[in-house]
Amino acid sequence: MDEKKYPWVVVVVGDGYAVARNGKDGTPDVTNYYAEWQDAQDEADWRNEDDGITDAPRFDDDD
């Protein structure tokens, strides 16, 4: 049986950003709050690498 991996992604929270994912029990997992999206993306990248996730979506702030 394959274990489903839930990637960490950057989400907008108010005027800042957080790193979150769908939790295995259906409750979201949320980590730290950041003022800059780049800092949040660095944490998401680190957490995904640690979990062996190589195809996680990345935050795009081109708007």
Side-chain angles (χ1 to χ4, degrees):
M1 180 174 177
D2 290 332
E3 178 184 346
K4 182 165 177 65
K5 298 203 175 192
Y6 297 90
W8 292 95
V9 296
V10 176
V11 295
V12 177
V13 178
D15 291 335
Y17 307 88
V19 178
R21 71 175 175 181
N22 289 328
K24 295 178 182 175
D25 61 357
T27 303
D29 294 329
V30 180
T31 67
N32 301 314
Y33 179 83
Y34 295 95
E36 304 293 330
W37 71 266
Q38 296 92 335
D39 295 332
Q41 186 62 62
D42 286 345
E43 180 180 341
D45 291 343
W46 173 78
R47 288 180 176 273
N48 285 323
E49 183 178 322
D50 194 47
D51 288 346
I53 299 171
T54 59
D55 59 347
R58 296 183 53 81
F59 187 80
D60 184 10
D61 191 37
D62 285 340
D63 295 332

